[in-house]
């Protein structure tokens, strides 16, 4: 009997990250921008998706995968507007790539311009899982308090944009757009900040323009000669 | 509780190494956890204690080392430790910094008791 120590030095999630990178490339090559939406429960992810679908109407094709612990309530809300697959996680507090791939298969792997993933409402665990997204967006509603970025740093650090929702409630709640922006920028200086109210439509055009820009910028890489990458 | 999902990935990797090494009894798994990995060490340890007996042995030890977040400044190339999630270079004050360590969970090494005596490094 002898004892040996094998040095490994490997990221525990390296397999999942490689799978996610391959899926991101597959979807990007055919012109699908994958957008992972993360937030606390009730921040307005589903309402924002409804407004997004109405704004794009027939100009852009979109599909959505919705993650919840139970029920298909969000899928029912969204299904009149776009192809939707509900991913029911049971007890799991976040989505993982195999669930996303299963949902995509259930939809028939549609060649859409935008594939949205509405993650499980949770500012913690979803931050640690790459779902093959090109763009990670964190939503924060004005009713949640403007101190959240510092409390949940990983979520804000790993996102490319922060969308402040329910702007119509600002006169009624103690929330400062400047304070939340400053707090978030301390953690992720490159974070793009957008504001909107999905119920009255303000800021939705700006949000959709941002998505269009990202579609063009993020997917350009797949059309360049390999030597330029 | 995503710690369980990370432990599942960790034990899968360890399993592959044991097979590649020709089997044996795993006695220690060394892991580095970064401060920006989103992992709570106590919950990680509890998930490990829960899940390890089914695959290896309840005698298998988890050696956990916390790693601070280290960044390098894109402007002046100064390397520094991130404190309180302040992503700003203390030298030139720019916020164009790149995290080089502390955002992942890393399997460092696996100790195995076995009957063969080859020293190895898995890639």
């Amino acid at each position: 009997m002898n004892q040996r120590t094998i040095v490994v030095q490997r990221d525990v999630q390296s397999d999942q990250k490689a799978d996610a990178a391959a899926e991101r490339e597959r979807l990007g090559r055919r012109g699908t921008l994958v957008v992972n939406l993360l937030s606390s429960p009730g921040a307005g992810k589903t309402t924002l998706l409804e407004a997004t679908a109405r704004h794009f109407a027939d100009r852009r094709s979109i599909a959505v995968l919705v993650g919840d612990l139970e029920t298909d309530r969000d899928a029912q809300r969204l299904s009149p507007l776009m192809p939707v697959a509900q991913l029911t996680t049971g007890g799991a507090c976040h989505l993982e790539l195999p669930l996303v791939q299963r949902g995509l298969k259930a939809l028939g792997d549609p060649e859409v311009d935008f594939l949205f993933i509405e993650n499980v409402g949770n500012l913690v665990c979803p931050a640690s899982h790459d779902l093959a997204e090109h763009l990670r967006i964190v939503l924060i509603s004005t009713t949640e308090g403007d101190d959240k970025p510092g409390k949940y740093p990983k979520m804000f650090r790993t996102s490319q944009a922060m969308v402040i929702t329910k702007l119509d409630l600002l006169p009624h709640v103690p929330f400062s757009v400047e304070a939340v922006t400053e707090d978030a920028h301390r953690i992720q200086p490159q974070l793009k900040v957008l504001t909107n109210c999905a119920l009255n439509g303000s800021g939705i055009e700006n949000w959709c323009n941002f998505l269009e820009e990202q579609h063009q910028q993020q997917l350009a890489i797949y059309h360049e000669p390999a030597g330029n990458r | 509780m995503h710690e369980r999902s990370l432990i599942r990935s960790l034990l899968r990797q360890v399993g592959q190494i044991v097979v590649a090494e020709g089997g044996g009894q795993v006695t220690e798994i060394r892991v580095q956890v970064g401060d920006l990995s989103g992992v709570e060490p106590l919950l990680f340890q509890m998930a490990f204690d829960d899940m390890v007996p089914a695959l290896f042995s309840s005698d298998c030890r988890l050696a956990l080392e916390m790693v601070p977040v280290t960044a390098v400044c894109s402007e002046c190339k100064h390397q520094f430790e991130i404190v309180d999630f302040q992503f700003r270079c203390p030298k030139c004050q720019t916020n164009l910094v790149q995290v080089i360590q502390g955002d992942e969970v890393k399997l460092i090494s696996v100790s195995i008791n076995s009957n063969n005596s080859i020293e190895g490094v898995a890639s």
Side-chain angles (χ1 to χ4, degrees), chain A residues 2 4 6 8 10 16 96, chain B residues 9 107-108 110 112 114 118:
Chain A
N2 66 57
R4 292 173 303 130
I6 295 99
V8 186
R10 188 172 161 205
Q16 290 91 329
E96 293 193 25
Chain B
S9 303
L107 170 58
I108 299 300
V110 181
I112 303 176
S114 65
I118 313 155

Side-chain angles (χ1 to χ4, degrees), chain A residues 96-215:
Chain A
E96 293 193 25
L97 187 64
L99 276 170
V100 167
Q101 288 171 317
R102 190 196 299 167
L104 202 51
K105 208 171 167 182
L107 284 180
D109 199 17
E111 295 203 17
V112 287
D113 298 318
F114 293 97
L115 173 69
F116 289 100
I117 301 167
E118 187 185 322
N119 217 310
V120 177
N122 175 354
L123 282 177
V124 189
C125 312
S128 298
H129 297 275
D130 187 342
L131 302 182
E133 70 262 30
H134 297 95
L135 194 60
R136 182 177 284 196
I137 312 267
V138 58
L139 275 70
I140 180 161
S141 59
T142 54
T143 55
E144 288 171 61
D146 52 25
D147 58 350
K148 294 299 169 289
K151 289 180 167 186
Y152 300 90
K154 183 163 188 179
M155 179 61 75
F156 291 84
R157 177 70 200 171
T158 59
S159 295
Q160 286 84 47
M162 169 171 75
V163 177
I164 303 167
T165 61
K166 308 187 190 181
L167 217 63
D168 56 327
L169 298 179
L170 264 185
H172 313 286
V173 290
F175 185 97
S176 156
V177 170
E178 291 72 26
V180 78
T181 302
E182 193 181 322
D183 199 29
H185 277 160
R186 191 173 56 82
I187 294 155
Q188 179 48 280
Q190 277 86 48
L191 199 70
K192 165 97 176 167
V193 179
L194 295 142
T195 58
N196 67 49
C197 168
L199 285 184
N200 67 23
S202 73
I204 295 302
E205 186 173 0
N206 202 17
W207 154 248
C208 288
N209 289 345
F210 168 71
L211 289 174
E212 294 273 18
E213 262 168 45
Q214 289 294 315
H215 190 280

Side-chain angles (χ1 to χ4, degrees), chain B residues 18-79:
Chain B
V18 174
V19 169
E21 292 294 316
Q25 194 194 3
V26 182
T27 55
E28 185 184 76
I29 299 172
R30 294 194 75 80
V31 175
Q32 267 183 1
V33 172
D35 283 340
L36 195 62
S37 67
V39 167
E40 158 49 48
L42 179 63
L43 296 180
F44 195 75
Q45 179 72 58
M46 283 163 66
F48 180 88
D49 293 343
D50 248 8
M51 295 164 81
V52 81
L55 278 156
F56 303 113
S57 138
S58 47
D59 296 333
C60 173
R61 209 175 75 85
L62 174 69
L64 204 56
E65 183 197 346
M66 292 307 288
V67 181
V69 183
T70 307
V72 66
C73 174
S74 306
E75 298 285 320
C76 72
K77 308 299 172 209
H78 176 57
Q79 199 170 308

